[in-house]
Amino acid sequence: MGNKTITYFDGASLQISTIEEEFMKYIINNVLLNEGIKLIGNHIQVEKVELKHMDVEEGGGRITTKSPIVVYSTFEIEGRKKTYYYNPKEKEFEEILRKNLIKKYMAYFGKEPKDKYFKITPIENLKESIVIYKGTVIKGWNGIFEVNGSPEILKLAYDVGLGAKNSQGFGCFEFI
């Protein structure tokens, strides 16, 4: 099987989410100063930079994934590690997401969130995505979900992503 490639004929967009404002300033300044970016040896001209601040109200709303949400557990069976990827219809999916968000909150802010409430419900267009990243199979889910939770947890989720493997680009979403 040959290498798979993606060709963009009419342009593309890149969404970067971060909780660190200084990191975003660094990215934007470098894009503007260098008149574009270099990606896999190709110079890419940037036409527009848009900065969005998400103020999350009490409750939540519907989201659509921009990249798959990855939720998994690793077990040891007969001396070998086994990774199990959960799907959104399994009860563990929501609980692992909630615990992951609390862990991220504590790591960044150094304290527990006041309100740990988080709920996610799959709505429609659920599609499993299987990605091979640096030789490792990663399974995640795209689709439309209903999320509810405390504003501090939802804001963190928007800024850093839902689930695991966020630094590899997984778990990015937007409110619709």
Side-chain angles (χ1 to χ4, degrees):
M1 187 162 113
N3 288 337
K4 296 181 180 181
T5 63
I6 300 173
T7 303
Y8 295 98
F9 296 101
D10 295 327
S13 66
L14 172 66
Q15 180 174 332
I16 300 172
S17 296
T18 182
I19 197 167
E20 272 301 320
E21 199 168 300
E22 288 301 313
F23 174 71
M24 192 56 73
K25 286 179 187 175
Y26 174 80
I27 296 289
I28 292 170
N29 284 334
N30 274 298
V31 165
L32 296 175
L33 290 173
N34 295 324
E35 298 179 356
I37 59 175
K38 199 167 199 165
L39 186 64
I40 312 172
N42 298 301
H43 180 76
I44 299 171
Q45 184 64 38
V46 176
E47 293 180 10
K48 179 171 91 171
V49 174
E50 189 176 334
L51 187 58
K52 293 181 184 178
H53 266 315
M54 192 65 188
D55 291 322
V56 179
E57 298 298 321
E58 190 72 38
R62 283 196 176 191
I63 64 168
T64 184
T65 55
K66 303 299 267 181
S67 62
I69 299 172
V70 176
V71 178
Y72 70 93
S73 291
T74 304
F75 306 97
E76 192 168 314
I77 300 172
E78 297 176 7
R80 295 184 63 192
K81 286 189 177 185
K82 173 77 174 149
T83 302
Y84 180 81
Y85 291 92
Y86 296 95
N87 79 60
K89 294 179 180 177
E90 293 176 286
K91 65 179 177 146
E92 293 89 350
F93 186 87
E94 177 180 277
E95 184 59 21
I96 291 170
L97 281 179
R98 188 182 73 76
K99 286 179 179 176
N100 180 267
L101 286 168
I102 293 167
K103 185 175 160 185
K104 289 174 185 173
Y105 189 96
M106 291 173 61
Y108 188 77
F109 294 107
K111 61 181 182 179
E112 288 192 2
K114 293 176 192 157
D115 185 349
K116 299 176 185 174
Y117 177 66
F118 176 77
K119 183 166 180 56
I120 186 168
T121 307
I123 302 295
E124 60 185 84
N125 298 336
L126 283 184
K127 182 179 178 218
E128 184 179 30
S129 296
I130 299 173
V131 177
I132 298 175
Y133 181 80
K134 293 187 176 183
T136 302
V137 173
I138 299 172
K139 296 178 184 178
W141 290 86
N142 280 303
I144 297 174
F145 297 83
E146 180 78 29
V147 293
N148 299 98
S150 69
E152 59 189 337
I153 292 290
L154 292 177
K155 172 81 169 98
L156 178 78
Y158 181 78
D159 287 343
V160 303
L162 281 170
K165 311 287 185 188
N166 303 131
S167 61
Q168 286 86 21
F170 293 94
C172 189
F173 68 90
E174 67 181 7
F175 284 91
I176 51 176

